[in-house]
Amino acid sequence: MLKLYDKTVTSRLLLGTALYPSPAILGEAVKASGTEIVTVSLRRESGFERAGQSFWSLIKELGVHVLPNTAGCHTAREAVTTAQMAREIFGTSWIKLEVIGEQDTLQPDPFGLVEAARILVNEGFEVFPYMNDDLVVAEKLVQAGCKVLMPWGAPIGSGRGLNNPYALKTLRAHFPDIPLIVDAGIGVPSHAAQAMELGYDAVLLNTAVAKAGDPVRMAKSFALAIEAGHLAVEADPIEPRDMAAPSTPLMGKAFF
């Protein structure tokens, strides 16, 4: 079981809802993944002539928790305003906080992120900050009141996997009691399993499923990989070593 603020879920996969070929495929992928939390952009809900209403109806029919995000925001003020609107529309105090600082990599702006997080926590939001893998930024976000951290694996949509496993491992060791979710850059199920094997609590992804040739099958494969990685950590895996260690003992060996 995974507790995120006041909610407890069994699935450790969080799934985005953008870029799918059709609403029907989105719905089937969500079901196949077993996820209990999906991220939703405010812009999907407030589109032209409220076209987002049908999308919102689909999400409600799936019976999952909604994690609105502030995707596309480049300043703390813009992110705070978007979060306030999202709370009114989606009826939740959860918010995935994104404040983008660099356009090519979509790397988070650490200064704007911490500023926005502090404001939103003071307004009663339960903030899931999308951040880079910087330990100091993580400290500042925790001090601001964030009880979940979401460091990136690699730039959004890049599919590169975990660019800096060392930094992610350091974050895990430094914050043993805070839920940590790898968010962004995951491309294939083995990347997700690797994140879980580092001791992370969950993985959030979108593009790797939505843009796959078969999103439904890919969603299922990610669910299995995340479960495998989590079970492996709980099983206490062996430590890597430089030399061979024979699995067959010398005792009882035949001599001629």
Side-chain angles (χ1 to χ4, degrees):
M1 304 292 282
L2 173 62
K3 186 172 183 180
L4 302 172
Y5 288 102
D6 63 334
K7 295 181 176 65
T8 301
V9 297
T10 56
S11 172
R12 294 175 182 270
L13 170 59
L14 287 69
L15 201 60
T17 55
L19 305 176
Y20 286 84
S22 71
I25 292 177
L26 165 60
E28 290 302 312
V30 169
K31 293 175 184 176
S33 73
T35 185
E36 297 164 64
I37 301 173
V38 298
T39 61
V40 177
S41 172
L42 178 64
R43 297 180 182 185
R44 292 291 298 274
E45 172 64 16
S46 55
F48 178 67
E49 293 183 350
R50 298 195 57 80
Q53 287 297 325
S54 58
F55 170 77
W56 180 222
S57 297
L58 170 63
I59 297 300
K60 288 192 289 188
E61 289 173 2
L62 292 171
V64 293
H65 299 298
V66 174
L67 176 59
N69 64 42
T70 62
C73 293
H74 290 77
T75 66
R77 181 177 180 180
E78 185 181 8
V80 168
T81 301
T82 301
Q84 292 167 339
M85 295 171 62
R87 179 161 62 179
E88 293 299 316
I89 291 175
F90 297 112
T92 178
S93 59
W94 276 15
I95 191 73
K96 179 189 171 186
L97 180 61
E98 298 183 32
V99 182
I100 301 303
E102 204 282 319
Q103 192 58 44
D104 289 334
T105 62
L106 300 179
Q107 181 167 329
D109 171 6
F111 307 102
L113 185 66
V114 173
E115 179 186 352
R118 185 175 293 111
I119 293 170
L120 291 172
V121 168
N122 288 337
E123 292 187 3
F125 282 88
E126 295 169 317
V127 179
F128 295 65
Y130 165 62
M131 53 175 285
N132 55 19
D133 51 25
D134 188 280
L135 186 59
V136 176
V137 174
E139 287 274 18
K140 298 296 184 183
L141 288 167
V142 171
Q143 291 169 9
C146 297
K147 297 181 180 180
V148 176
L149 297 175
M150 303 179 70
W152 70 352
I156 293 172
S158 66
R160 295 182 57 86
L162 307 186
N163 274 354
N164 194 343
Y166 172 78
L168 293 173
K169 189 174 182 179
T170 300
L171 282 173
R172 177 72 285 175
H174 198 77
F175 299 102
D177 301 321
I178 293 180
L180 299 181
I181 302 171
V182 168
D183 177 16
I186 299 297
V188 291
S190 59
H191 296 158
Q194 183 186 10
M196 299 303 293
E197 289 169 2
L198 289 176
Y200 274 68
D201 296 286
V203 172
L204 193 160
L205 54 92
N206 185 173
T207 308
V209 169
K211 300 296 285 184
D214 186 337
V216 177
R217 181 171 293 182
M218 186 62 77
K220 178 64 174 178
S221 67
F222 269 106
L224 294 172
I226 288 170
E227 181 181 4
H230 179 63
L231 287 174
V233 170
E234 290 189 327
D236 191 16
I238 64 171
E239 292 291 330
R241 50 186 292 152
D242 295 327
M243 302 296 291
S247 58
T248 301
L250 293 177
M251 186 68 69
K253 179 179 178 181
F255 290 92
F256 300 96

